[in-house]
């Protein structure tokens, strides 16, 4: 089949990987930090190493509901005498004596003197006479003081992003306040005279401003502090004001729309006046046009207006910048090979991020189906998808059964 060239491709288009490398050189991790309550720590990045001021666990305790005793006593006794109980939060107050045992619950303190626990399924109680099947070794079912972390031991290092597990770890050592890096602040707005906010009627030629909502979602998932500046009309004065306000209040100014070649609007003119901005043409589909530069101290990223393009360029180009500013490492996205179900259309020329649904067949092999129409304005292609099917620049039409590269959506896209 003769291969047609991509009508939107030109030899001068920049490969997205080259663009990312250039962009990353332009930003640095934020240096400031602040102290926040642990309850507000989710998604934040630790700005200090944290050591435990207590042993973990803080005391010897049982990992089972059962009976605690001295292992050696089983060697010369048919049964042991029950002398008390230790419940979580209610330790045994008595003294461990030879040839005795106590009832003990999971997490309850193991009294000094006892060394072993047997689970209650392996114990027969006849009033105060307790018949215990011997466990294999002394110390069975005991969690020792400090066996996980000793006092002074490091539990988390600076630069760790706090997820659910880290919140729990910090609570386990009793931390109520944490020092974290300042959140990246992003001010964003949409440009375009055709855009109307949701909740209003559309007149002829108008559409709803959807990008601000998807961008809000992306920014929230990326754990940044965002300022939604609404829709800015195609009026030089309004655009100038919006850029100034945004740049004064944020580390990053993010816009959608008005960066493509055909845009005879004022965005470029105003950006040239108030900052240093370069308009890029990337060998990526969707998302060819992209603008980047500086507005005062803030960095500026101008996403294309087409809804899928704006999400893809955010994911591919803006997210790595945010991650670097947050002081987090760039993690190469997980990619895997899946069998394409159905045919796929592509012109050679640009790297494509087609939207797919990744699943596993009966044998556990990965397969991927496109979400349907792949137009850069079709946002349902993103909402139906759980992955990108990534096709290299040179790749053309691809037929059913071919192994293709798939990148599952990360937590920011889900
Ligand atoms: P532009 O990048 O401004 O040339 O816009 C490209 C396409 O995206 C046009 O069809 C616009 O109407 C559409 N578009 C631009 N901004 C938005 C937005 N905020 N929400 C939804 N569609 C948009
Ligand atoms: Mg526009």
């Amino acid at each position: 089949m003769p291969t047609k060239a991509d009508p939107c491709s030109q030899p001068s288009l920049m490969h997205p990987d080259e663009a990312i490398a250039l962009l990353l050189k332009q930003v640095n991790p934020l240096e400031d930090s602040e102290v926040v309550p642990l309850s507000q720590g989710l998604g934040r990045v630790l700005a200090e190493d944290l050591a435990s001021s207590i042993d973990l666990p803080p005391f010897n305790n049982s990992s089972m509901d059962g009976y605690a005793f001295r292992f050696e006593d089983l060697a010369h006794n048919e049964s042991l005498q029950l002398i008390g109980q230790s419940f979580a939060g209610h330790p045994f107050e008595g003294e461990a004596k030879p040839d005795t045992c106590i009832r003990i619950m999971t997490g309850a303190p193991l009294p000094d003197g006892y060394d072993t626990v047997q689970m209650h399924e392996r114990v027969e109680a006849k009033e105060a006479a307790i018949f215990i099947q011997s466990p294999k070794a002394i110390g069975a079912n005991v969690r020792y003081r400090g066996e996980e972390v000793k006092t002074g031991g490091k539990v988390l290092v600076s630069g760790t992003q706090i997820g659910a597990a880290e919140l729990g770890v910090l609570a386990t050592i009793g931390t109520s306040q944490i020092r974290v890096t300042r959140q990246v602040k992003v001010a964003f707005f949409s440009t375009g005279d055709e855009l109307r906010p949701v909740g209003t009627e559309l007149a002829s030629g108008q559409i709803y401003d959807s990008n601000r909502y998807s961008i809000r979602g992306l920014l929230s998932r990326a754990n940044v502090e965002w300022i939604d500046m609404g829709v800015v009309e195609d009026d030089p004065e309004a655009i100038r004001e919006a850029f100034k306000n945004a740049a004064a209040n944020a580390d990053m100014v993010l816009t959608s729309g008005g960066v493509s070649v055909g845009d005879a609007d004022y965005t470029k003119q105003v950006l040239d006046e108030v900052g240093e901005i370069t308009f890029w043409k990337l060998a990526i589909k969707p998302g060819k046009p992209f603008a980047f530069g500086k507005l005062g101290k803030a960095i500026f990223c101008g996403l294309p207006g087409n809804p899928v393009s704006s999400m893809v360029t955010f994911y591919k180009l803006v997210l790595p910048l945010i991650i670097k500013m947050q002081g987090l490492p760039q993690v190469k996205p997980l990619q895997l090979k899946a069998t394409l179900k159905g045919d796929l259309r592509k012109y050679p020329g640009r790297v494509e991020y087609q939207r797919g649904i990744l699943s596993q067949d009966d044998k556990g092999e990965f397969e991927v189906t496109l979400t349907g129409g792949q137009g850069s304005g079709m946002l349902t292609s993103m909402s139906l998808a759980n992955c990108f099917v990534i096709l290299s620049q040179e790749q053309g039409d691809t037929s059913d059964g071919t192994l293709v590269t798939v990148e599952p959506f990360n937590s920011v896209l889900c």
Side-chain angles (χ1 to χ4, degrees):
M1 195 188 341
T3 324
K4 281 195 213 148
D6 179 350
C8 295
S9 179
Q10 298 150 26
S12 58
L13 297 185
M14 192 192 303
H15 192 282
D17 290 345
E18 189 189 341
I20 296 167
L22 287 174
L23 292 174
L24 283 172
K25 287 192 189 142
Q26 303 297 317
V27 301
N28 291 308
L30 297 187
E31 281 173 3
D32 332 344
S33 65
E34 60 186 353
V35 173
V36 299
L38 181 64
S39 56
Q40 286 168 28
L42 187 65
R44 303 297 297 269
V45 179
L46 272 182
E48 57 184 347
D49 291 344
L50 279 175
S52 180
S53 57
I54 56 172
D55 286 329
L56 285 184
F59 48 87
N60 295 345
N61 68 95
S62 175
S63 67
M64 292 278 176
D65 290 340
Y67 291 81
F69 51 91
R70 297 196 320 169
F71 185 72
E72 65 174 273
D73 288 347
L74 293 187
H76 50 84
N77 283 292
E78 212 186 41
S79 67
L80 300 178
Q81 188 201 349
L82 183 66
I83 59 162
Q85 58 186 29
S86 180
F87 277 55
H90 302 280
F92 174 61
E93 303 289 358
E95 209 180 302
K97 294 192 197 104
D99 305 328
T100 66
C101 64
I102 59 162
R103 184 102 176 85
I104 193 164
M105 300 298 156
T106 306
L110 180 75
D112 286 345
Y114 292 138
D115 54 30
T116 307
V117 170
Q118 179 58 291
M119 63 171 89
H120 79 113
E121 292 85 345
R122 305 220 169 124
V123 173
E124 204 182 330
K126 288 189 180 154
E127 296 174 1
I130 309 297
F131 297 82
I132 298 174
Q133 278 180 39
S134 181
K136 286 210 174 75
I138 187 168
N141 304 316
V142 176
R143 302 191 285 213
Y144 290 101
R145 173 177 180 159
E147 73 177 13
E148 185 181 358
V149 179
K150 300 243 179 325
T151 301
K154 215 180 267 182
V155 286
L156 289 171
V157 293
S158 178
T160 303
Q161 186 163 36
I162 298 172
E166 286 74 20
L167 282 179
V169 166
L170 290 165
T172 308
I173 61 170
T175 310
S176 61
Q177 310 256 312
I178 43 174
R179 181 163 286 283
V180 291
T181 54
R182 180 171 69 74
Q183 251 179 327
V184 176
K185 237 187 200 185
V186 181
F188 65 100
F189 57 87
S190 299
T191 66
D193 278 352
E194 76 280 30
L195 303 175
R196 298 287 297 148
V198 293
T200 60
E201 291 290 316
L202 292 181
S204 160
Q206 295 182 328
I207 58 167
Y208 289 115
D209 171 17
S210 61
N211 288 351
R212 237 161 9 97
Y213 284 87
S214 42
I215 289 171
R216 259 190 207 209
L218 293 166
L219 291 173
S220 300
R221 289 273 203 255
N223 297 303
V224 305
E225 184 182 336
W226 47 257
I227 309 167
D228 181 347
M229 297 180 61
V231 180
V232 176
E233 57 197 288
D234 281 330
D235 163 63
E237 198 43 47
I239 296 175
R240 195 174 295 117
E241 271 311 292
F243 280 129
K244 277 192 188 151
N245 272 339
N249 292 304
D251 304 299
M252 178 189 279
V253 178
L254 188 62
T255 63
S256 87
V259 292
S260 46
V261 189
D263 276 311
D265 51 27
Y266 303 103
T267 319
K268 285 179 192 168
Q269 176 199 321
V270 174
L271 281 171
D272 272 342
E273 263 174 50
V274 297
E276 302 156 39
I277 311 295
T278 320
F279 291 85
W280 300 18
K281 285 187 203 158
L282 305 174
I284 184 174
K285 186 178 175 185
K288 186 168 74 167
F290 181 77
F292 180 80
K294 295 244 160 73
L295 281 177
K297 283 193 190 135
I299 62 158
F300 171 79
C301 292
L303 305 174
N306 269 312
V308 186
S309 311
S310 73
M311 286 194 78
V312 169
T313 44
F314 178 95
Y315 169 71
K316 193 71 194 151
L317 303 171
V318 179
L319 190 56
L321 300 184
I322 291 175
I323 285 171
K324 182 162 181 196
M325 291 165 89
Q326 287 170 323
L328 292 169
Q330 302 289 332
V331 179
K332 212 167 175 275
L334 179 75
Q335 293 191 340
L336 46 95
K337 294 281 181 196
T339 304
L340 179 68
K341 307 304 272 181
D343 295 335
L344 166 161
R345 310 281 302 158
K346 181 184 182 294
Y347 290 120
R350 290 190 276 168
V351 179
E352 286 198 16
Y353 281 68
Q354 299 206 9
R355 277 75 66 204
I357 301 166
L358 176 67
S359 59
Q360 281 174 290
D361 67 13
D362 300 344
K363 294 188 195 118
E365 304 290 337
F366 292 118
E367 53 186 32
V368 66
T369 314
L370 293 185
T371 52
Q374 296 290 311
S376 56
M378 296 180 178
L379 201 49
T380 48
S381 71
M382 279 298 291
S383 84
L384 294 169
N386 63 6
C387 69
F388 288 118
V389 178
I390 301 184
L391 304 153
S392 67
Q393 268 184 293
E394 55 280 5
Q395 202 156 336
D397 289 343
T398 305
S399 43
D400 179 69
T402 309
L403 271 186
V404 290
T405 301
V406 160
E407 192 167 299
F409 281 0
N410 67 5
S411 60
V412 172
L413 287 170
C414 285

